[in-house]
Amino acid sequence: MSGWTLFFCAVGLAVAVALLVDERRRQHELLYMERMRSSMLYFDLYPLVVFARKHEIDRVLIERNRIVFYSVCPPGSLGEFVLSEHGYRPLNALRTRALAQVLAEDIPILQENRHYRLRRYFVIRPNGQKDPAYQFTIRSGYKTELMYARQRIWLD
């Protein structure tokens, strides 16, 4: 075989392995999401999710030990679910990501890229450990649109 043929075979094999690994990772994510949705934690959190769906959401924080929903109007917290207060242990990184994905599915407006942005950040604990956390944040254009719509209702 020539050098180029061997090179293209190796590249093709690398692409196939990468696609296989990505598909396997996605299957694991779906499994974690399914487990999260059927867990007692999510059963206890679900009334807050239903309540948040009825409001205009400004931000949603999903951290290892708490989930917080913030409202556009009136500004401030819609609700906070602290895991330790309900008898749950802090989430690991995989469960935190699964919870963020399940919340995005159950609050459809969060899936709209035009309106909300998902950002991953790290919370540094007092012992120096970095824990991944996720934040859905409203985009400024959509927030302005919501505020103007609310203002028009008040003026009419």
Side-chain angles (χ1 to χ4, degrees), residues 42-57 69 78 103 106-108:
Y42 198 70
F43 180 78
D44 290 343
L45 174 66
Y46 194 71
L48 184 57
V49 172
V50 171
F51 180 71
R53 261 193 238 152
K54 298 175 185 173
H55 293 83
E56 297 161 345
I57 297 173
F69 293 90
L78 277 176
L103 286 174
D106 288 351
I107 304 174

Side-chain angles (χ1 to χ4, degrees), residues 8-85:
F8 285 121
C9 286
V11 168
L13 182 63
V15 168
V17 168
L19 289 173
L20 184 65
V21 168
D22 187 54
E23 179 62 28
R24 188 84 169 145
R25 181 194 56 78
R26 182 69 184 141
Q27 287 175 349
H28 282 287
E29 281 183 357
L30 290 173
L31 179 65
Y32 274 109
M33 288 171 60
E34 188 178 311
R35 286 181 183 168
M36 178 57 70
R37 182 168 275 122
S38 63
S39 70
M40 284 303 297
L41 165 68
Y42 198 70
F43 180 78
D44 290 343
L45 174 66
Y46 194 71
L48 184 57
V49 172
V50 171
F51 180 71
R53 261 193 238 152
K54 298 175 185 173
H55 293 83
E56 297 161 345
I57 297 173
D58 183 36
R59 284 183 296 150
V60 179
L61 297 177
I62 301 108
E63 294 181 355
R64 165 178 196 223
N65 56 350
R66 68 186 183 134
I67 297 93
V68 187
F69 293 90
Y70 292 96
S71 172
V72 171
C73 194
S77 176
L78 277 176
E80 181 175 17
F81 187 89
V82 179
L83 276 69
S84 62
E85 290 177 4

Side-chain angles (χ1 to χ4, degrees), residues 102-139:
V102 169
L103 286 174
E105 283 185 357
D106 288 351
I107 304 174
I109 192 70
L110 296 178
Q111 294 178 12
E112 303 242 358
N113 287 335
R114 299 176 297 138
H115 301 316
Y116 287 88
R117 178 175 71 118
L118 174 62
R119 179 175 79 90
R120 185 175 112 179
Y121 64 99
F122 291 93
V123 176
I124 300 174
R125 301 287 169 205
N127 64 0
Q129 180 182 355
K130 287 183 179 179
D131 294 323
Y134 298 90
Q135 178 179 10
F136 289 96
T137 308
I138 193 168
R139 293 190 183 268

